[in-house]
Amino acid sequence: MAQALAIHGGAPAVTVSTAEGWRRRVEEEKAAVCALIDEGVLTGSGSGLPKQFEEEFKEYIGCKYVLATSHGHTALASGFFAAGLGAGDEFIHPAFGYLGSYAGALHMGATPVFCELDPETLLADPADIAKRITPRTRVINPIHSAGRPCDMDALLALCEKHDLVLVEDAAHAAGSEWGGVKIGNVGHIAAFSLQGACPGGKPVSAGEGGIVATNDRELYERALVYCHLHRSGVRKELTSPVYSQLEEQLLGWKWRAHPLALAIARVSLKTLPERLTKFAAARDELRERIQGTPGIEFVHNYPKAKGTELYGGLKLLYDPAAFGGLPAERLCQALNAEGVPMHSGRPGHAEYRRSLFTQDLPGLWGKGHPGPANVPLPRYREGDFPVSEALSGRVLSLRGWIEPAPGLIAQVATAITKVAENYRHLL
Ligand SMILES: *Cc1c(COP(=O)(O)O)cnc(C)c1O
């Protein structure tokens, strides 16, 4: 017999708390921060605690070189500089992406060329990227959204073929793996973010902060000269005959991380493996429990990818046709009434629809300049990315849990199957 849906006055399927049960180690964070305050260590890089954090993160990822920066976007900008990006070059970024990811490239005068998402993985589609490569393309800038790795084999093959640099937005991807190797140790140069606070912030969080990771000495030295003015021992680190001519002020940006932030990041990094394991267990339980529900499935991952979803949450693909055309918003209202905090939406922000790419903004880039470095920005219109646009109303998001209340995952699954079995009452 059909049960009454909660939205129609029936009993909600979820009766236990949906709050995250995991707690960060606040006392340990306070002790680490206070120790630095007591010691008067409130600045610096290349030594002391900032260096210690870089060593620990490097060991965790397994890569050769790491630099802690002020933010994820400054880590990305350093990656773009490392890649040699400049005025007149093009870089490729997902049409549904993030301005903070490519702002550095934009300000260097490079031109964004947006690409489609793969409708099954919701990640930058390598086949579509291939079609957009021109002789001016210098960088591919994909996002490992929600820590789900992009198709690294396909992207690296494109880079190899066209002599491009892969500058990965790994803001969500600390701990994610490709073929058993951690992101940051797979491609050319990757940028992580330390934004927010655990457990809701980036996988390793410190309030604000970022990390550049690479295995390439040349890319490392270029990132270093771009972002770490007055780093301890920096002159000894620079082996390039050109960069070692620079004074200690390098190129003038002081984009190093704050030591107090890194003290918090160290505590966060310590708990990352535990959080990843528990989050994945709860996610996998939910996936198994709802498997076979027509019209709702977890987003696909590439076979070699091991995603984390700790930041950005769980994404599900919804097929309204299996629900008699029921809009995703209505489905989510019914799920919310059952007690499931599910949301519907687009797979990201429509970057190509920003006023930067749809309107003239006279004077913005300097008097008489049509764009950064006097290179005009491209123009985009609604309809330019039909595959990604068609995902609107087909993507569901659920935050996920590290430590769900006992029985919560089973109840969430029950709620989803209950709504799926009774969707006709919602039409
Ligand atoms: C958080 C984030 C960044 C970097 O952000 P910062 O706030 O500068 O650390 C970059 N890209 C994506 C997709 C992000 O979510």
Side-chain angles (χ1 to χ4, degrees):
M1 203 182 91
Q3 299 160 273
L5 292 171
I7 201 168
H8 296 142
V14 177
T15 58
V16 300
S17 168
T18 58
E20 172 57 70
W22 189 85
R23 292 286 172 269
R24 69 180 221 271
R25 301 184 187 173
V26 179
E27 293 309 318
E28 206 174 321
E29 291 177 0
K30 285 184 193 167
V33 166
C34 288
L36 287 186
I37 294 173
D38 287 341
E39 291 162 29
V41 179
L42 298 175
T43 182
S45 71
S47 63
L49 186 137
K51 180 79 180 156
Q52 205 176 351
F53 173 74
E54 288 176 346
E55 292 301 323
E56 286 164 359
F57 193 81
K58 191 160 71 182
E59 193 179 322
Y60 178 67
I61 298 292
C63 65
K64 285 193 191 151
Y65 309 109
V66 151
L67 278 173
T69 62
S70 62
H71 297 91
H73 72 265
T74 53
L76 279 149
S78 307
F80 292 124
F81 181 83
L85 199 65
D89 291 335
E90 293 175 355
F91 65 95
I92 301 178
H93 184 84
F96 289 80
Y98 181 58
L99 177 58
S101 183
Y102 64 89
L106 195 67
H107 297 188
M108 282 165 198
T111 301
V113 172
F114 294 112
C115 72
E116 292 272 25
L117 301 179
D118 176 321
E120 293 191 335
T121 63
L122 310 182
L123 299 167
D125 178 7
D128 186 71
I129 290 174
K131 290 185 222 152
R132 298 179 195 267
I133 293 172
T134 75
R136 298 205 299 155
T137 311
R138 178 96 199 101
V139 158
I140 303 175
N141 173 222
I143 305 176
H144 303 303
S145 295
R148 294 186 309 103
C150 297
D151 187 344
M152 291 298 285
D153 289 349
L155 293 174
L156 286 169
L158 284 176
C159 288
E160 175 84 25
K161 184 170 169 198
H162 300 278
D163 193 22
L164 311 177
V165 183
L166 192 62
V167 179
E168 295 158 67
D169 183 334
H172 309 171
S176 302
E177 293 178 14
W178 180 260
V181 180
K182 290 217 168 60
I183 290 298
N185 194 14
V186 181
H188 300 153
I189 188 161
F192 297 86
S193 170
L194 303 175
Q195 208 272 328
C198 275
K202 305 288 161 97
V204 178
S205 45
E208 304 286 352
I211 297 168
V212 178
T214 182
N215 282 320
D216 185 302
R217 183 78 209 176
E218 170 77 2
L219 291 176
Y220 171 68
E221 291 195 25
R222 287 187 62 79
L224 176 57
V225 298
Y226 198 63
C227 70
H228 262 230
L229 161 145
H230 284 311
R231 180 181 173 87
S232 298
V234 71
R235 303 294 308 281
K236 280 193 250 91
E237 282 199 74
L238 297 172
T239 61
S240 146
V242 176
Y243 316 145
S244 56
Q245 303 300 309
L246 295 170
E247 295 76 15
E248 287 227 335
Q249 292 75 24
L250 304 171
L251 291 177
W253 286 137
K254 197 207 250 177
W255 280 353
R256 64 196 186 196
H258 199 295
L260 296 185
L262 295 184
I264 296 170
R266 286 187 69 216
V267 179
S268 179
L269 178 60
K270 255 192 259 177
T271 65
L272 180 61
E274 174 207 332
R275 284 181 285 130
L276 290 178
T277 304
K278 290 182 168 178
F279 189 93
R283 174 198 62 201
D284 294 348
E285 181 190 341
L286 181 62
R287 192 204 324 257
E288 257 169 53
R289 285 183 183 272
I290 68 162
Q291 205 145 37
T293 307
I296 297 182
E297 60 170 343
F298 272 67
V299 72
H300 299 199
N301 287 307
Y302 298 103
K304 285 173 78 175
K306 186 174 164 200
T308 56
E309 288 153 289
L310 196 56
Y311 181 89
L314 308 177
K315 295 275 181 257
L316 297 99
L317 300 175
Y318 172 57
D319 180 7
F323 282 68
L326 183 74
E329 298 76 41
R330 186 77 183 132
L331 174 86
C332 288
Q333 281 166 6
L335 286 169
N336 295 165
E338 299 293 341
V340 179
M342 185 87 82
H343 304 283
S344 70
R346 290 183 164 211
H349 186 271
E351 290 304 319
Y352 63 105
R353 298 295 296 145
R354 285 187 185 281
S355 53
L356 287 174
F357 310 115
T358 55
Q359 279 165 239
D360 286 331
L361 301 166
L364 175 66
W365 302 104
K367 199 160 173 276
H369 287 220
N374 213 9
V375 178
L377 291 176
R379 283 283 175 269
Y380 285 100
R381 283 188 306 268
E382 189 93 46
D384 282 346
F385 298 94
V387 176
S388 308
E389 287 166 13
L391 289 166
S392 186
R394 303 186 66 118
V395 180
L396 308 177
S397 306
L398 185 64
R399 173 97 196 75
W401 293 269
I402 302 165
E403 285 181 11
L408 174 62
I409 300 299
Q411 291 190 344
V412 168
T414 301
I416 292 171
T417 47
K418 178 183 169 189
V419 171
E421 281 163 13
N422 292 285
Y423 76 82
R424 283 182 192 82
H425 302 296
L426 295 164
L427 294 171

